[in-house]
Structures are given as structure tokens and as C-alpha cells.
């Protein structure tokens, strides 16, 4: 999680060919009762799962700070783009979904939090801060990774109870941070335990082209 204080649906169209004329000598017979102009059939891929509860919606990214900035708006919203099934596969409770500390300014952050009982918190954050800016901010505490083909960095960002993987997006990064609470530490859970698996599970939620 980059703390500012520390710094269509795809459609496929299948068009039935028009059937006309007579069968040739070496051609199969054609049903002459078939319409000369067959109807067009459209098959549409299902849209991305989007959560629509009012309390989960992101804030507007249109204010005096963003209008004066040359940075792009954040596209991927973790609270409405990441579906329940993906969260459940990471071991966190999808029903604990809550908006995090969104910040809309020159540097913008959209955030969402999830719980794993009392042991740990999963913080998802999408930002228009670049991965290179993260590298510069936390120099000496960065491990470069590839997550499902995307460049990424792993870091504790100075938090002994936290571990982050920030994945590159078209406008910045998609951050995945696990923070272990007191009960988790007591049970020997480390914040970086399995975080690469969590990142690999959630990366597809970013979506192609984002």
C-alpha cells in the first residue's frame, strides 16, 4: 500500500450465411425452403462482475486537485471490481468487504479492506502512482517480481507487521497488502506468508488493457 504520507464487454457476432441458389452437381443439396436472408445471432460475453452496493462505490475523481494534475484517473476500483470468489480464494472473508481510505488528489488512491477473522487484514489499493515511483520511495526495501506476466514489486514499506506486492497497471499500480494483527502474530502468521499466491489470484481482476 503506497501511503501518501510516506510519499467492454467483448462481443462476438456470429452471422449466419445466406442460403440461395440450387445445389451444383458436386455440391450437397440445400434446403430450398431456407430463408434467403437468415437472421443475425449475437452472442455477448458476460460483463465483469461489478458490486453495486451504494456503500462500496468509489468517490468522484473530479476535483480541483485532479483537474490541475497531469496524472490519469484511476480506472480499477478494488471494492467494486474484485469479486467475492476471488477474495474467498485468498483465504479472506469477502463478506467483510469495506471501503478503505480513498484519497483523490494529485496522487489518487482507491482502497478496499477485507478481514481474515482477527488474524489479518487485506488492503487492496489502486493508484495512479507509478511502479518506478514506488521503487524510488522504498529504495533498499524492494524485490522485483513478475505476477502473471505483469511487473511487480514486493516490500514491507517499513511496516514490520505488513507485506505488500504492487502490480503494474496502465495508469499506476494495483497494491496488495497483508497486515497481521496481534492474534495472527501469536499464531505465528507472517505478513508475507503466501502473499505471492494472493497476488496471483487477484491480478486477473485488473483486467486486460488496464
Amino acid at each position: 500500500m503506497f501511503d501518501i504520507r510516506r510519499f467492454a464487454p467483448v462481443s462476438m457476432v456470429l452471422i449466419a450465411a445466406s442460403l440461395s441458389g440450387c445445389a451444383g452437381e458436386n455440391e450437397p443439396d440445400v434446403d430450398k425452403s431456407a430463408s434467403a436472408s437468415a437472421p443475425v445471432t449475437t452472442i455477448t460475453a458476460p460483463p465483469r462482475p461489478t458490486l453495486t452496493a451504494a456503500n462500496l462505490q468509489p468517490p468522484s475523481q473530479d476535483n480541483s486537485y485532479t483537474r490541475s494534475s497531469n496524472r490519469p484517473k484511476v480506472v480499477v476500483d478494488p471494492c467494486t471490481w474484485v469479486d467475492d470468489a476471488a477474495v474467498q480464494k485468498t483465504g479472506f472473508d469477502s463478506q467483510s468487504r469495506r471501503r478503505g481510505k480513498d484519497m483523490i488528489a494529485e496522487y489518487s488512491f482507491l482502497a478496499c479492506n477485507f478481514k481474515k477473522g482477527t488474524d489479518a487484514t487485506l488492503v487492496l489499493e489502486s493508484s495512479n502512482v507509478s511502479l518506478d515511483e514506488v521503487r524510488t520511495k522504498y529504495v533498499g526495501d524492494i524485490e522485483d517480481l513478475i505476477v502473471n506476466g505483469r511487473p511487480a514489486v514486493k516490500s514491507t514499506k517499513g511496516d514490520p507487521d505488513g507485506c505488500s506486492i504492487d502490480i503494474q497497471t496502465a495508469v499506476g499500480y494495483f497494491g496488495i497488502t497483508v497486515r497481521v494483527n496481534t492474534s495472527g502474530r501469536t499464531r505465528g502468521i507472517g505478513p508475507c506468508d503466501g502473499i505471492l499466491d494472493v497476488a496471483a489470484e487477484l491480478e486477473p481482476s485488473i483486467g486486460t488493457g488496464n
Side-chain angles (χ1 to χ4, degrees), residues 37-114:
S37 180
V40 175
T41 302
T42 302
I43 299 176
T44 304
R48 170 185 299 281
T50 301
L51 299 162
T52 58
N55 64 322
L56 296 178
Q57 302 314 300
S60 169
Q61 294 184 58
D62 185 17
N63 60 34
S64 59
Y65 298 103
T66 59
R67 285 193 293 272
S68 63
S69 170
N70 61 358
R71 288 180 179 265
K73 291 182 178 180
V74 179
V75 176
V76 179
D77 175 47
C79 243
T80 59
W81 281 41
V82 180
D83 66 20
D84 287 348
V87 175
Q88 289 295 131
K89 288 178 182 178
T90 69
F92 286 82
D93 180 10
S94 64
Q95 298 305 305
S96 67
R97 183 189 306 263
R98 298 290 184 275
R99 284 214 73 89
K101 294 181 179 179
D102 300 309
M103 180 176 293
I104 308 301
E106 178 184 0
Y107 304 104
S108 293
F109 304 85
L110 300 179
C112 200
N113 298 341
F114 301 86

Side-chain angles (χ1 to χ4, degrees), residues 4-194:
I4 193 63
R5 293 170 298 176
R6 296 172 291 177
F7 170 76
V10 178
S11 298
M12 299 181 298
V13 178
L14 304 180
I15 303 178
S18 298
L19 302 178
S20 61
C22 299
E25 182 177 307
N26 297 318
E27 297 173 341
D29 288 340
V30 176
D31 181 0
K32 297 180 179 56
S33 65
S35 170
S37 180
V40 175
T41 302
T42 302
I43 299 176
T44 304
R48 170 185 299 281
T50 301
L51 299 162
T52 58
N55 64 322
L56 296 178
Q57 302 314 300
S60 169
Q61 294 184 58
D62 185 17
N63 60 34
S64 59
Y65 298 103
T66 59
R67 285 193 293 272
S68 63
S69 170
N70 61 358
R71 288 180 179 265
K73 291 182 178 180
V74 179
V75 176
V76 179
D77 175 47
C79 243
T80 59
W81 281 41
V82 180
D83 66 20
D84 287 348
V87 175
Q88 289 295 131
K89 288 178 182 178
T90 69
F92 286 82
D93 180 10
S94 64
Q95 298 305 305
S96 67
R97 183 189 306 263
R98 298 290 184 275
R99 284 214 73 89
K101 294 181 179 179
D102 300 309
M103 180 176 293
I104 308 301
E106 178 184 0
Y107 304 104
S108 293
F109 304 85
L110 300 179
C112 200
N113 298 341
F114 301 86
K115 299 290 187 182
K116 182 186 287 185
T118 59
D119 288 343
T121 300
L122 173 66
V123 179
L124 305 183
E125 184 178 71
S126 189
S127 178
N128 57 5
V129 172
S130 73
L131 212 58
D132 282 342
E133 287 173 306
V134 176
R135 290 187 179 100
T136 300
K137 182 64 179 179
Y138 301 106
V139 64
D141 183 29
I142 290 291
E143 177 186 349
D144 283 290
L145 304 169
I146 298 293
V147 177
N148 297 346
R150 292 181 187 259
V153 295
K154 178 181 174 183
S155 175
T156 65
K157 297 180 179 176
D159 182 358
D161 296 321
C163 187
S164 298
I165 291 181
D166 298 331
I167 305 172
Q168 183 172 292
T169 66
V171 303
Y173 75 81
F174 181 83
I176 296 159
T177 298
V178 174
R179 289 200 177 96
V180 176
N181 303 324
T182 301
S183 65
R185 291 195 300 272
T186 301
R187 300 195 322 112
I189 299 174
C192 289
D193 294 350

